[in-house]
Amino acid sequence: MRKLKLEELDRLSVTDFKSAEKLPIVLVLDSVRSMNNVGSIFRTSDAFAIEKLILCGITATPPHRDIEKTALGATKTVVWEYFTDTTEAIKKLKKQGYSIVAIEQADGSMDLCQYKPDRTKKYALVFGNEVFGVSDTAMELVNECIEIPQFGTKHSFNIVVSAGIVLWDFYVKLK
């Protein structure tokens, strides 16, 4: 067995990526403080070809070298938008017909393994701050809440790990 060379991976060009079919998902980052996490979310969003990334509150925006360090160019492929207020972003997405789903540990949350996304819907997945999670004001506006099961002693995954797990799960279930 040998590793494939970069040119053998048959990746889309930036132009082809922009016109390619996207997974009907928008990620909303609710005051994510680490620029490395933001860059990694851009890269993960590119990998799953999501529709858009919405950065809110204290979440840093490109261009910034600390974002680019982990994004590896994905800030040029993934469509993104910035809102000072997460609730305004969520209200706009609701008007556009998105089902708003928080990824959070909450009363009434559903286990990710049990969640069945509907292929006829568009989803906005809300990920929160690394310490405080999804804000209370954003939680008041969500339609549903998903929790990733955990079996160890820690209370949470890193946001990038959470995004990767949830996007993979949605990709498998929607495709």
CSV table of all heavy atoms in Angstrom, one decimal, residues 28-42 53-68 70-71 75 80-84 129-130 159:
chain,number,residue,atom,x,y,z
A,28,VAL,N,-23.3,27.9,12.2
A,28,VAL,CA,-23.3,29.1,12.9
A,28,VAL,C,-22.3,29.0,14.1
A,28,VAL,O,-22.5,28.1,15.0
A,28,VAL,CB,-24.7,29.5,13.4
A,28,VAL,CG1,-24.7,30.8,14.2
A,28,VAL,CG2,-25.7,29.5,12.3
A,29,LEU,N,-21.3,29.9,14.1
A,29,LEU,CA,-20.4,29.9,15.3
A,29,LEU,C,-20.7,31.0,16.2
A,29,LEU,O,-20.6,32.2,15.8
A,29,LEU,CB,-18.9,30.0,14.8
A,29,LEU,CG,-18.4,28.9,13.8
A,29,LEU,CD1,-16.9,29.1,13.5
A,29,LEU,CD2,-18.7,27.5,14.3
A,30,ASP,N,-21.2,30.7,17.4
A,30,ASP,CA,-21.6,31.6,18.4
A,30,ASP,C,-20.5,32.0,19.3
A,30,ASP,O,-20.2,31.3,20.3
A,30,ASP,CB,-22.8,31.0,19.1
A,30,ASP,CG,-23.4,31.9,20.2
A,30,ASP,OD1,-23.2,33.1,20.2
A,30,ASP,OD2,-24.2,31.4,21.0
A,31,SER,N,-19.8,33.1,19.0
A,31,SER,CA,-18.7,33.6,19.8
A,31,SER,C,-17.6,32.6,20.1
A,31,SER,O,-17.2,32.3,21.3
A,31,SER,CB,-19.2,34.2,21.1
A,31,SER,OG,-19.9,35.4,20.8
A,32,VAL,N,-17.1,32.0,19.1
A,32,VAL,CA,-15.9,31.0,19.2
A,32,VAL,C,-14.7,31.9,19.3
A,32,VAL,O,-14.4,32.7,18.5
A,32,VAL,CB,-15.9,30.1,18.0
A,32,VAL,CG1,-14.6,29.3,18.0
A,32,VAL,CG2,-17.1,29.2,18.0
A,33,ARG,N,-13.9,31.7,20.4
A,33,ARG,CA,-12.8,32.6,20.7
A,33,ARG,C,-11.5,32.2,20.0
A,33,ARG,O,-10.7,33.1,19.8
A,33,ARG,CB,-12.6,32.7,22.2
A,33,ARG,CG,-12.2,31.4,22.9
A,33,ARG,CD,-12.2,31.5,24.4
A,33,ARG,NE,-12.1,30.1,24.8
A,33,ARG,CZ,-11.2,29.8,25.7
A,33,ARG,NH1,-10.4,30.6,26.3
A,33,ARG,NH2,-11.1,28.5,26.1
A,34,SER,N,-11.2,31.0,19.7
A,34,SER,CA,-9.9,30.6,19.2
A,34,SER,C,-9.9,30.7,17.7
A,34,SER,O,-10.7,30.1,17.0
A,34,SER,CB,-9.6,29.1,19.6
A,34,SER,OG,-8.6,28.6,18.8
A,35,MET,N,-9.0,31.5,17.2
A,35,MET,CA,-8.8,31.6,15.7
A,35,MET,C,-8.4,30.3,15.1
A,35,MET,O,-8.7,30.0,13.9
A,35,MET,CB,-7.9,32.8,15.4
A,35,MET,CG,-8.5,34.1,15.6
A,35,MET,SD,-7.5,35.4,15.0
A,35,MET,CE,-6.9,36.1,16.6
A,36,ASN,N,-7.6,29.5,15.8
A,36,ASN,CA,-7.2,28.2,15.3
A,36,ASN,C,-8.5,27.3,15.1
A,36,ASN,O,-8.6,26.6,14.1
A,36,ASN,CB,-6.2,27.5,16.2
A,36,ASN,CG,-4.9,28.2,16.1
A,36,ASN,OD1,-4.4,28.6,15.1
A,36,ASN,ND2,-4.2,28.2,17.3
A,37,ASN,N,-9.4,27.4,16.0
A,37,ASN,CA,-10.7,26.6,15.9
A,37,ASN,C,-11.5,27.2,14.7
A,37,ASN,O,-12.0,26.4,13.9
A,37,ASN,CB,-11.5,26.7,17.2
A,37,ASN,CG,-11.0,25.8,18.3
A,37,ASN,OD1,-10.2,24.9,18.0
A,37,ASN,ND2,-11.4,26.1,19.5
A,38,VAL,N,-11.5,28.5,14.5
A,38,VAL,CA,-12.2,29.1,13.4
A,38,VAL,C,-11.6,28.6,12.1
A,38,VAL,O,-12.4,28.1,11.2
A,38,VAL,CB,-12.2,30.6,13.5
A,38,VAL,CG1,-12.9,31.2,12.2
A,38,VAL,CG2,-13.0,31.1,14.7
A,39,GLY,N,-10.3,28.6,12.0
A,39,GLY,CA,-9.7,28.1,10.8
A,39,GLY,C,-9.9,26.6,10.5
A,39,GLY,O,-10.2,26.2,9.4
A,40,SER,N,-9.9,25.9,11.6
A,40,SER,CA,-10.2,24.4,11.4
A,40,SER,C,-11.7,24.2,11.0
A,40,SER,O,-11.9,23.3,10.2
A,40,SER,CB,-9.9,23.7,12.7
A,40,SER,OG,-8.5,23.7,13.0
A,41,ILE,N,-12.6,25.0,11.5
A,41,ILE,CA,-14.0,24.9,11.1
A,41,ILE,C,-14.1,25.2,9.6
A,41,ILE,O,-14.9,24.6,8.9
A,41,ILE,CB,-14.9,25.8,11.9
A,41,ILE,CG1,-14.9,25.3,13.4
A,41,ILE,CG2,-16.3,25.8,11.4
A,41,ILE,CD1,-15.7,24.0,13.7
A,42,PHE,N,-13.4,26.2,9.1
A,42,PHE,CA,-13.4,26.6,7.7
A,42,PHE,C,-12.9,25.3,6.9
A,42,PHE,O,-13.6,24.9,5.9
A,42,PHE,CB,-12.5,27.7,7.4
A,42,PHE,CG,-13.1,29.1,7.3
A,42,PHE,CD1,-13.1,29.9,8.4
A,42,PHE,CD2,-13.8,29.5,6.2
A,42,PHE,CE1,-13.7,31.2,8.4
A,42,PHE,CE2,-14.4,30.7,6.1
A,42,PHE,CZ,-14.4,31.6,7.2
A,53,LEU,N,-20.8,29.4,6.2
A,53,LEU,CA,-20.3,29.4,7.6
A,53,LEU,C,-20.7,30.9,8.0
A,53,LEU,O,-20.4,31.8,7.4
A,53,LEU,CB,-18.8,29.2,7.6
A,53,LEU,CG,-18.1,29.2,8.9
A,53,LEU,CD1,-18.7,28.2,9.9
A,53,LEU,CD2,-16.6,28.9,8.7
A,54,ILE,N,-21.4,30.9,9.2
A,54,ILE,CA,-21.8,32.2,9.7
A,54,ILE,C,-21.0,32.4,11.0
A,54,ILE,O,-21.1,31.6,12.0
A,54,ILE,CB,-23.3,32.4,9.9
A,54,ILE,CG1,-24.0,32.3,8.6
A,54,ILE,CG2,-23.6,33.7,10.6
A,54,ILE,CD1,-25.5,32.4,8.6
A,55,LEU,N,-20.2,33.5,11.1
A,55,LEU,CA,-19.4,33.8,12.2
A,55,LEU,C,-20.1,34.9,13.0
A,55,LEU,O,-20.5,35.9,12.4
A,55,LEU,CB,-18.0,34.3,11.8
A,55,LEU,CG,-17.3,33.4,10.7
A,55,LEU,CD1,-16.1,34.1,10.2
A,55,LEU,CD2,-17.1,32.1,11.3
A,56,CYS,N,-20.2,34.7,14.3
A,56,CYS,CA,-21.0,35.7,15.2
A,56,CYS,C,-20.3,36.1,16.4
A,56,CYS,O,-19.4,35.4,16.9
A,56,CYS,CB,-22.3,35.0,15.6
A,56,CYS,SG,-23.4,34.5,14.2
A,57,GLY,N,-20.6,37.3,16.9
A,57,GLY,CA,-20.1,37.8,18.2
A,57,GLY,C,-18.6,38.0,18.1
A,57,GLY,O,-18.1,38.6,17.2
A,58,ILE,N,-17.9,37.4,19.1
A,58,ILE,CA,-16.4,37.6,19.2
A,58,ILE,C,-15.7,36.7,18.2
A,58,ILE,O,-14.4,36.7,18.2
A,58,ILE,CB,-15.9,37.4,20.6
A,58,ILE,CG1,-16.1,35.9,21.1
A,58,ILE,CG2,-16.6,38.3,21.6
A,58,ILE,CD1,-15.3,35.5,22.3
A,59,THR,N,-16.4,35.9,17.5
A,59,THR,CA,-15.7,35.0,16.5
A,59,THR,C,-14.9,35.8,15.5
A,59,THR,O,-15.4,36.7,14.9
A,59,THR,CB,-16.7,34.1,15.7
A,59,THR,OG1,-17.5,33.4,16.7
A,59,THR,CG2,-16.0,33.1,14.9
A,60,ALA,N,-13.6,35.6,15.4
A,60,ALA,CA,-12.7,36.3,14.5
A,60,ALA,C,-13.1,36.0,13.0
A,60,ALA,O,-13.6,34.9,12.7
A,60,ALA,CB,-11.3,35.9,14.7
A,61,THR,N,-12.8,36.9,12.1
A,61,THR,CA,-13.1,36.7,10.7
A,61,THR,C,-11.8,36.8,9.9
A,61,THR,O,-10.8,37.5,10.3
A,61,THR,CB,-14.1,37.8,10.2
A,61,THR,OG1,-13.5,39.1,10.4
A,61,THR,CG2,-15.4,37.8,11.0
A,62,PRO,N,-11.8,36.2,8.7
A,62,PRO,CA,-10.6,36.3,7.8
A,62,PRO,C,-10.6,37.7,7.3
A,62,PRO,O,-11.6,38.4,7.3
A,62,PRO,CB,-11.0,35.3,6.7
A,62,PRO,CG,-12.0,34.4,7.2
A,62,PRO,CD,-12.8,35.2,8.3
A,63,PRO,N,-9.5,38.2,6.8
A,63,PRO,CA,-8.2,37.5,6.8
A,63,PRO,C,-7.4,37.6,8.1
A,63,PRO,O,-7.4,38.7,8.7
A,63,PRO,CB,-7.4,38.1,5.7
A,63,PRO,CG,-8.0,39.5,5.6
A,63,PRO,CD,-9.4,39.4,6.1
A,64,HIS,N,-6.9,36.6,8.6
A,64,HIS,CA,-6.0,36.6,9.8
A,64,HIS,C,-5.1,35.4,9.7
A,64,HIS,O,-5.5,34.3,9.4
A,64,HIS,CB,-6.8,36.6,11.1
A,64,HIS,CG,-6.0,37.0,12.2
A,64,HIS,ND1,-5.1,36.1,12.8
A,64,HIS,CD2,-5.9,38.2,12.9
A,64,HIS,CE1,-4.5,36.7,13.8
A,64,HIS,NE2,-5.0,38.0,13.9
A,65,ARG,N,-3.8,35.6,10.0
A,65,ARG,CA,-2.8,34.5,9.8
A,65,ARG,C,-3.1,33.4,10.7
A,65,ARG,O,-2.9,32.2,10.4
A,65,ARG,CB,-1.4,35.0,10.0
A,65,ARG,CG,-1.1,35.4,11.4
A,65,ARG,CD,0.3,36.1,11.5
A,65,ARG,NE,0.4,36.7,12.8
A,65,ARG,CZ,1.2,36.4,13.7
A,65,ARG,NH1,2.1,35.4,13.5
A,65,ARG,NH2,1.2,37.0,14.9
A,66,ASP,N,-3.7,33.6,12.0
A,66,ASP,CA,-4.0,32.5,12.9
A,66,ASP,C,-5.2,31.7,12.4
A,66,ASP,O,-5.3,30.5,12.6
A,66,ASP,CB,-4.3,33.0,14.3
A,66,ASP,CG,-3.0,33.4,15.0
A,66,ASP,OD1,-1.9,33.1,14.5
A,66,ASP,OD2,-3.1,34.2,16.0
A,67,ILE,N,-6.1,32.3,11.6
A,67,ILE,CA,-7.2,31.5,11.0
A,67,ILE,C,-6.6,30.8,9.8
A,67,ILE,O,-6.9,29.6,9.6
A,67,ILE,CB,-8.3,32.5,10.5
A,67,ILE,CG1,-9.0,33.1,11.8
A,67,ILE,CG2,-9.3,31.7,9.7
A,67,ILE,CD1,-10.0,34.2,11.5
A,68,GLU,N,-5.8,31.4,9.0
A,68,GLU,CA,-5.3,30.8,7.8
A,68,GLU,C,-4.4,29.6,8.1
A,68,GLU,O,-4.3,28.7,7.3
A,68,GLU,CB,-4.5,31.8,6.9
A,68,GLU,CG,-5.4,32.9,6.3
A,68,GLU,CD,-6.5,32.4,5.4
A,68,GLU,OE1,-6.3,31.3,4.8
A,68,GLU,OE2,-7.6,33.0,5.4
A,70,THR,N,-4.7,27.2,10.1
A,70,THR,CA,-5.4,26.0,10.2
A,70,THR,C,-6.4,25.8,9.0
A,70,THR,O,-6.8,24.7,8.7
A,70,THR,CB,-6.1,25.8,11.5
A,70,THR,OG1,-6.9,27.0,11.8
A,70,THR,CG2,-5.1,25.6,12.6
A,71,ALA,N,-6.8,26.9,8.4
A,71,ALA,CA,-7.8,26.8,7.3
A,71,ALA,C,-7.2,26.3,6.0
A,71,ALA,O,-7.9,25.7,5.2
A,71,ALA,CB,-8.4,28.2,7.1
A,75,THR,N,-10.7,29.5,3.6
A,75,THR,CA,-11.4,30.8,3.6
A,75,THR,C,-11.7,31.4,2.2
A,75,THR,O,-12.5,32.2,2.1
A,75,THR,CB,-10.6,31.9,4.4
A,75,THR,OG1,-9.3,32.0,3.8
A,75,THR,CG2,-10.4,31.4,5.9
A,80,TRP,N,-18.8,32.7,3.6
A,80,TRP,CA,-19.0,33.1,5.0
A,80,TRP,C,-19.6,34.5,5.1
A,80,TRP,O,-19.5,35.3,4.2
A,80,TRP,CB,-17.7,32.9,5.8
A,80,TRP,CG,-16.6,33.9,5.4
A,80,TRP,CD1,-15.7,33.7,4.5
A,80,TRP,CD2,-16.3,35.2,6.0
A,80,TRP,NE1,-14.8,34.8,4.4
A,80,TRP,CE2,-15.2,35.7,5.3
A,80,TRP,CE3,-16.9,35.9,7.0
A,80,TRP,CZ2,-14.7,36.9,5.7
A,80,TRP,CZ3,-16.4,37.1,7.4
A,80,TRP,CH2,-15.3,37.6,6.7
A,81,GLU,N,-20.2,34.7,6.3
A,81,GLU,CA,-20.8,35.9,6.6
A,81,GLU,C,-20.6,36.2,8.1
A,81,GLU,O,-20.4,35.3,8.9
A,81,GLU,CB,-22.3,35.8,6.3
A,81,GLU,CG,-23.1,37.0,6.3
A,81,GLU,CD,-24.5,36.8,5.8
A,81,GLU,OE1,-24.9,35.7,5.4
A,81,GLU,OE2,-25.3,37.7,5.9
A,82,TYR,N,-20.6,37.5,8.5
A,82,TYR,CA,-20.4,37.9,9.9
A,82,TYR,C,-21.6,38.6,10.4
A,82,TYR,O,-22.2,39.5,9.7
A,82,TYR,CB,-19.2,38.7,10.1
A,82,TYR,CG,-19.0,39.2,11.5
A,82,TYR,CD1,-18.6,38.4,12.5
A,82,TYR,CD2,-19.4,40.5,11.9
A,82,TYR,CE1,-18.5,38.8,13.8
A,82,TYR,CE2,-19.4,40.9,13.2
A,82,TYR,CZ,-18.9,40.0,14.2
A,82,TYR,OH,-18.8,40.5,15.5
A,83,PHE,N,-22.1,38.3,11.6
A,83,PHE,CA,-23.1,39.0,12.4
A,83,PHE,C,-22.6,39.3,13.7
A,83,PHE,O,-22.0,38.5,14.4
A,83,PHE,CB,-24.4,38.1,12.5
A,83,PHE,CG,-25.2,37.9,11.3
A,83,PHE,CD1,-24.8,37.0,10.3
A,83,PHE,CD2,-26.4,38.6,11.2
A,83,PHE,CE1,-25.6,36.8,9.2
A,83,PHE,CE2,-27.1,38.5,10.0
A,83,PHE,CZ,-26.8,37.6,9.1
A,84,THR,N,-22.8,40.5,14.2
A,84,THR,CA,-22.4,40.9,15.6
A,84,THR,C,-23.3,40.1,16.6
A,84,THR,O,-22.8,39.8,17.7
A,84,THR,CB,-22.5,42.4,15.8
A,84,THR,OG1,-23.9,42.8,15.5
A,84,THR,CG2,-21.5,43.2,15.0
A,129,ASN,N,-19.4,28.8,22.1
A,129,ASN,CA,-18.1,29.2,22.7
A,129,ASN,C,-17.5,28.0,23.4
A,129,ASN,O,-18.2,27.2,24.0
A,129,ASN,CB,-18.4,30.4,23.7
A,129,ASN,CG,-17.1,30.8,24.4
A,129,ASN,OD1,-16.8,30.2,25.4
A,129,ASN,ND2,-16.5,31.8,23.9
A,130,GLU,N,-16.2,28.0,23.3
A,130,GLU,CA,-15.4,26.8,23.9
A,130,GLU,C,-15.6,26.6,25.4
A,130,GLU,O,-15.5,25.5,25.8
A,130,GLU,CB,-13.9,27.0,23.6
A,130,GLU,CG,-13.5,27.0,22.2
A,130,GLU,CD,-13.5,28.3,21.4
A,130,GLU,OE1,-14.2,29.2,21.9
A,130,GLU,OE2,-12.8,28.4,20.4
A,159,ILE,N,-14.6,22.1,19.9
A,159,ILE,CA,-15.6,22.5,18.9
A,159,ILE,C,-15.3,21.9,17.5
A,159,ILE,O,-16.2,21.5,16.8
A,159,ILE,CB,-15.8,24.0,18.9
A,159,ILE,CG1,-16.9,24.4,17.8
A,159,ILE,CG2,-14.5,24.7,18.6
A,159,ILE,CD1,-17.2,25.9,17.8
